């Protein structure tokens, strides 16, 4: 019952704000991240993000990513080659439009632990195939999780999550955007956790907030 109550609390946090702000600039992102072991060294990344202008029903972007990663060292350093499909439906002069992007990306993730702080660095290079253009972008992500109700990220633990991610074009203008995020999370079991939080996205000419709820599913390799 405690687990159920915590999950309901997190869901209420994520849903209450966007539905009360249907006509504001506050959006909502609903996200699933899977990282599933297919061998001792290889992992299969799978990800779906549904991004909405409001609470639900007005699609801003649908993003699907997948990729194959390789562990350079156990649990700490991983390289990955991936593909992303992005369907965007922005408003242009008050009219909703549709754009499709295909994306190839390469990334390196390294993890560190200092006391209770679980720190992750992610370096990602993206080749973006837009309908009428080709662009390249570099992203640097620095995030951390800090358990609150125990000393480690154990099952039934509440934790604080935060990150900052900067996006840089390989041409002008160099700065694309910057994302700052904070959330409360709950470890369901050793493979699953859930987060509800707020992200502020800063771009050259606008600054927009997003309420986010994310589900993380990490299934270890099971040898037959």
């Amino acid at each position: 019952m405690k687990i159920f109550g915590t999950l309901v609390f997190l869901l209420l946090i994520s849903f209450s704000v966007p539905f009360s702000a249907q006509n504001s600039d506050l959006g909502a992102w609903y996200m699933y991240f899977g990282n599933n072991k297919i061998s001792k060294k290889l992992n299969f990344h799978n990800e779906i993000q549904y991004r909405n202008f409001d609470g639900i029903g007005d699609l801003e972007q649908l993003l699907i990513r997948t990729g194959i990663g390789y562990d350079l060292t156990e649990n700490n350093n991983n390289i990955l080659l991936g593909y992303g499909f992005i369907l965007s439906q922005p408003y242009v002069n008050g009219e909703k439009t549709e754009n499709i992007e295909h994306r190839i990306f390469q990334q390196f993730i390294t993890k560190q632990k200092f006391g209770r702080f679980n720190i992750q660095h992610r370096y990602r290079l993206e080749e973006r195939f837009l309908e009428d253009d080709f662009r390249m972008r570099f992203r640097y992500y620095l995030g951390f999780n800090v358990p609150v109700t125990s000393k480690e990220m154990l099952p039934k633990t509440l934790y604080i999550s935060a990150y900052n991610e900067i996006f840089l074009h390989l041409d002008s203008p160099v700065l694309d955007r910057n994302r700052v995020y904070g959330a409360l999370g709950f470890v369901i079991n050793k493979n699953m956790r859930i987060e509800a939080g707020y992200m502020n996205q800063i771009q050259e000419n606008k600054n927009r907030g997003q309420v986010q709820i994310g589900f993380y599913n990490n299934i270890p390799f099971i040898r037959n």
Side-chain angles (χ1 to χ4, degrees):
M1 293 299 295
K2 289 184 179 180
I3 296 177
F4 178 77
T6 303
L7 293 179
V8 170
F9 173 70
L10 292 175
L11 287 169
L12 287 174
I13 289 175
S14 66
F15 278 104
S16 60
V17 178
F19 279 117
S20 65
Q22 291 289 312
N23 297 318
S24 76
D25 289 332
L26 184 67
W29 291 10
Y30 307 101
M31 307 172 293
Y32 167 85
F33 300 93
N35 188 34
N36 313 127
K37 285 286 190 179
I38 54 180
S39 74
K40 188 175 180 180
K41 289 284 189 179
L42 294 174
N43 67 282
F44 169 58
H45 177 78
N46 46 100
E47 172 185 342
I48 299 176
Q49 297 193 34
Y50 176 87
R51 301 174 176 178
N52 205 271
F53 282 108
D54 297 314
I56 194 167
D58 190 5
L59 177 67
E60 179 180 8
Q61 191 174 77
L62 175 66
L63 186 150
I64 301 172
R65 285 196 190 97
T66 187
I68 298 295
Y70 180 82
D71 289 333
L72 299 174
T73 59
E74 187 175 1
N75 299 323
N76 291 327
N77 297 285
N78 179 272
I79 55 174
L80 183 141
L81 174 64
Y83 164 78
F85 172 84
I86 299 92
L87 169 65
S88 301
Q89 294 185 348
Y91 284 95
V92 179
N93 298 323
E95 297 291 330
K96 198 159 194 179
T97 62
E98 183 172 292
N99 302 308
I100 292 178
E101 176 185 345
H102 300 277
R103 189 180 298 174
I104 299 172
F105 65 96
Q106 306 82 39
Q107 71 180 31
F108 169 65
I109 291 177
T110 181
K111 299 178 181 179
Q112 301 165 325
K113 193 173 187 308
F114 296 100
R116 291 195 178 195
F117 283 76
N118 299 278
I119 301 172
Q120 177 175 294
H121 304 265
R122 185 180 70 201
Y123 307 86
R124 178 182 288 175
L125 181 65
E126 297 176 328
E127 295 81 40
R128 305 175 62 200
F129 297 87
L130 305 164
E131 292 182 347
D132 300 315
D133 198 6
F134 171 76
R135 301 175 187 173
M136 295 184 68
R137 185 169 65 184
F138 173 76
R139 301 166 57 167
Y140 170 66
Y141 166 105
L142 172 62
F144 64 86
N145 294 329
V146 183
V148 176
T149 55
S150 68
K151 294 183 178 180
E152 302 290 340
M153 294 284 286
L154 300 173
K156 303 181 182 180
T157 297
L158 284 171
Y159 66 93
I160 295 171
S161 179
Y163 75 72
N164 185 83
E165 184 173 20
I166 188 169
F167 296 63
L168 302 174
H169 288 301
L170 298 191
D171 54 10
S172 181
V174 175
L175 180 62
D176 180 16
R177 66 193 65 197
N178 187 61
R179 292 175 179 171
V180 180
Y181 169 82
L184 179 66
F186 181 74
V187 182
I188 301 170
N189 56 44
K190 65 179 181 179
N191 301 322
M192 299 179 185
R193 56 189 173 90
I194 190 170
E195 288 182 10
Y198 175 82
M199 185 268 289
N200 188 34
Q201 181 165 246
I202 304 166
Q203 295 177 268
E204 184 178 1
N205 298 317
K206 60 182 178 180
N207 185 340
R208 188 156 183 255
Q210 309 284 351
V211 172
Q212 296 188 350
I213 182 165
F215 179 76
Y216 299 81
N217 178 28
N218 301 300
I219 299 177
F221 172 62
I222 300 175
R223 189 180 300 276
N224 295 323

